[in-house]
């Protein structure tokens, strides 16, 4: 049986087929399960989980305008960002922010990551991060 994370965002999308293509074919997410009649899919990727559901009015607390998700970005840690960047470029998907190096204080230590940002078809901002260490820096 699949283990569900304690926090799983659900994104309202305009076109479930277009969103599934973006997440699965371009980024490599896996569809854990879907309810086609509800235009719903549960996705996972390197331990990250979230749901996509085509807009149906059930969850909208106000009028949605592109880009959806203004004010939020979803950070997804992956082993390597290079293959993701390459696939996006092959499909002429513009990056919101090109790969860059970040260093974040985490308690008494710091973490270095190389990151990039991309918007999905509905404008949700995704931040992919690769931890840097002696092996992959």
């Amino acid at each position: 049986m699949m283990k569900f994370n304690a926090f799983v965002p659900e994104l309202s999308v305009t076109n479930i087929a277009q969103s599934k293509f973006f997440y699965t074919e371009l980024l490599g997410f896996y569809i854990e399960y879907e309810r086609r009649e509800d235009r719903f899919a549960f996705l996972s990727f390197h331990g990250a989980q979230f749901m996509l559901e085509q807009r149906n009015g059930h969850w909208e607390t106000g009028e949605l305008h592109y880009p959806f998700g203004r004010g939020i970005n979803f950070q997804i840690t992956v082993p390597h960002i290079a293959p993701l960047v390459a696939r996006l470029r092959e499909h002429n998907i513009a990056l919101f922010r090109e790969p860059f190096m970040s260093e974040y204080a985490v308690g008494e230590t710091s973490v270095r990551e190389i990151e990039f940002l991309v918007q999905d078809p509905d404008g949700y901002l995704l931040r992919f991060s690769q931890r840097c260490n002696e092996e992959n820096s």
Side-chain angles (χ1 to χ4, degrees):
M1 170 154 241
M2 186 177 114
K3 181 179 184 227
F4 291 87
N5 292 344
F7 179 78
V8 183
E10 182 170 343
L11 307 181
S12 293
V13 300
T14 305
N15 180 313
I16 191 72
Q18 181 182 30
S19 293
K20 285 188 334 186
F21 177 84
F22 179 83
Y23 282 97
T24 61
E25 299 300 319
L26 301 185
L27 296 175
F29 280 73
Y30 177 76
I31 296 176
E32 294 288 348
Y33 66 91
E34 58 185 317
R35 295 189 299 268
R36 290 190 173 121
E37 67 280 2
D38 294 329
R39 296 177 293 192
F40 170 92
F42 191 105
L43 307 175
S44 66
F45 189 65
H46 296 283
Q49 297 176 333
F50 65 88
M51 301 173 281
L52 303 175
E53 184 171 46
Q54 190 162 311
R55 292 178 61 190
N56 58 25
H58 293 146
W59 312 112
E60 295 177 24
T61 58
E63 196 170 342
L64 287 177
H65 296 283
Y66 183 89
F68 295 178
R70 285 173 268 174
I72 190 168
N73 74 79
F74 297 100
Q75 179 176 339
I76 303 162
T77 303
V78 297
H80 303 284
I81 66 165
L84 296 173
V85 171
R87 275 198 308 273
L88 291 167
R89 287 190 174 137
E90 285 172 16
H91 287 85
N92 297 315
I93 304 294
L95 300 184
F96 184 83
R97 187 163 177 203
E98 292 290 328
F100 61 98
M101 186 64 69
S102 296
E103 188 165 342
Y104 300 107
V106 179
E108 299 296 318
T109 64
S110 64
V111 174
R112 288 175 30 109
E113 298 176 333
I114 184 165
E115 306 176 302
F116 77 93
L117 289 92
V118 65
Q119 287 180 281
D120 82 353
D122 289 295
Y124 290 106
L125 190 59
L126 309 172
R127 177 169 42 130
F128 289 92
S129 300
Q130 172 187 325
R131 288 273 169 100
C132 295
N133 55 35
E134 292 75 29
E135 291 177 12
N136 61 12
S137 56

